[in-house]
Amino acid sequence: METSSITYHKIIRVGADGAKEVEDCLAIEEPLEIQLAFMASGKRQGKSISVTMRTPGNDPELAAGFLFTEGIIRSKSEIAGIRHSVLDENRVLVTCADGFEPLLGSLERNFYTTSSCGVCGKASIDAIRTRSAFTAGEDQLVVEKSIVQQLADQIGRHQQVFESTGGLHASALFDLNGHFLMLREDVGRHNALDKLIGAALLADNLPLSQHVLLLSGRASFELIQKAAMAGIRIVAAIGAPSSLAVQLAGESGITLAGFVKKDKFNIYTGQHRIRSI
């Protein structure tokens, strides 16, 4: 567990046996400013892209994932480096590769993003529909029903900070046989997924078309959009999907399952990829 992800606070715990002072474990929430440096018209340019409320940890992955899922960058090769500010650990600078100018016209959002809403400030629904670099086509992806039912138990075993605080969202990646591959946590559900996708981007593992994504909570429009950007074709959520999430999943050729539990789950789109139903 990253010690920077949690803090401790004295509280009064009230129960049937009365009230007592105890020390509670809290998930840290702090702002992260993502800055971009690039060459344009022969001059070095710098731009503040976003400020998001996040749980510290995996910040370079978060920055890379955010830039990728927003359509500002398309590949790892467009990034020359990512580093924290020497003066402020809540600022991270992404330097673009020589000869690459980022697609800033695709970013139509306010610079402030809360931990609960990743698309606050978007100009319109059309602006949110960032075009994926990985076009959905015919595939033979199939996952067993029993594997989907096992995912919820698996994510619980790997959510280390959630186990301590109860206050974080998670995004986890599995192969088609249900083997756990990677998990990222954050106070913001969109940040957790950006960290996961950013890790895959920096490891040159995109697209994630042969994987299953599990969301620890509900499936929102933006999370499905981010999954589509990463080429993910199967998404399962422990919570409910929104109507726009279901619509986008259908349009993007994504299999979307919700309310995933040991004994049951709902399939909203792409039922052909779930076997034994």
Side-chain angles (χ1 to χ4, degrees):
M1 180 190 307
E2 298 188 29
T3 55
S4 62
S5 298
I6 60 175
T7 187
Y8 298 90
H9 184 74
K10 289 190 180 299
I11 64 169
I12 303 299
R13 181 162 291 154
V14 181
D17 56 348
K20 59 181 179 180
E21 185 179 82
V22 298
E23 194 172 63
D24 194 27
C25 185
L26 303 176
I28 293 178
E29 181 178 28
E30 291 183 349
L32 179 70
E33 180 179 357
I34 300 173
Q35 300 175 327
L36 200 60
F38 56 95
M39 293 294 293
S41 302
K43 296 181 179 180
R44 175 67 63 180
Q45 305 285 332
K47 188 175 183 64
S48 179
I49 298 298
S50 175
V51 176
T52 184
M53 301 303 296
R54 93 322 186 178
T55 300
N58 307 110
D59 289 341
E61 295 174 357
L62 172 56
F66 174 84
L67 294 174
F68 177 81
T69 59
E70 285 293 333
I72 296 172
I73 62 172
R74 291 300 182 98
S75 70
K76 177 186 175 182
S77 64
E78 295 169 350
I79 299 176
I82 306 176
R83 62 175 177 83
H84 280 93
S85 166
V86 295
L87 301 177
D88 187 351
E89 64 181 8
N90 288 327
R91 284 185 179 145
V92 65
L93 175 67
V94 180
T95 302
C96 293
D98 291 342
F100 170 70
E101 187 171 340
L103 305 173
L104 297 180
S106 66
L107 187 70
E108 295 183 27
R109 71 158 74 236
N110 293 330
F111 285 162
Y112 181 79
T113 305
T114 70
S115 60
S116 60
C117 178
V119 295
C120 298
K122 282 286 192 177
S124 67
I125 290 295
D126 288 340
I128 301 173
R129 296 179 187 274
T130 311
R131 186 169 57 86
S132 173
F134 308 116
T135 304
E138 294 296 325
D139 62 69
Q140 303 299 317
L141 296 181
V142 174
V143 63
E144 294 289 342
K145 175 185 71 174
S146 59
I147 288 175
V148 177
Q149 292 170 320
Q150 295 167 13
L151 296 180
D153 276 351
Q154 288 212 58
I155 197 174
R157 293 198 295 270
H158 294 280
Q159 274 193 269
Q160 295 178 323
V161 181
F162 179 85
E163 183 69 22
S164 301
T165 67
L168 292 185
H169 297 283
S171 291
L173 205 62
F174 299 83
D175 67 19
L176 297 179
N177 293 315
H179 297 134
F180 172 82
L181 301 173
M182 178 170 53
L183 177 142
R184 294 293 183 267
E185 292 181 286
D186 200 274
V187 289
R189 57 175 58 88
H190 58 97
N191 288 337
L193 185 50
D194 274 340
K195 288 178 179 181
L196 191 78
I197 293 173
L201 172 72
L202 295 176
D204 270 336
N205 286 335
L206 294 180
L208 297 172
S209 55
Q210 300 295 313
H211 300 77
V212 178
L213 170 67
L214 179 64
L215 306 172
S216 65
R218 65 184 179 87
S220 65
F221 179 97
E222 187 185 22
L223 296 183
I224 299 302
Q225 179 259 320
K226 290 178 182 294
M229 288 294 289
I232 295 171
R233 295 289 168 255
I234 303 176
V235 179
I238 293 177
S242 69
S243 61
L244 276 178
V246 172
Q247 179 182 334
L248 182 61
E251 293 173 355
S252 303
I254 291 174
T255 294
L256 175 59
F259 293 108
V260 174
K261 296 179 174 63
K262 290 181 182 179
D263 58 342
K264 60 183 178 181
F265 59 89
N266 298 339
I267 303 175
Y268 295 87
T269 61
Q271 68 180 47
H272 61 283
R273 294 198 184 101
I274 310 294
R275 189 155 50 197
S276 303
I277 58 171

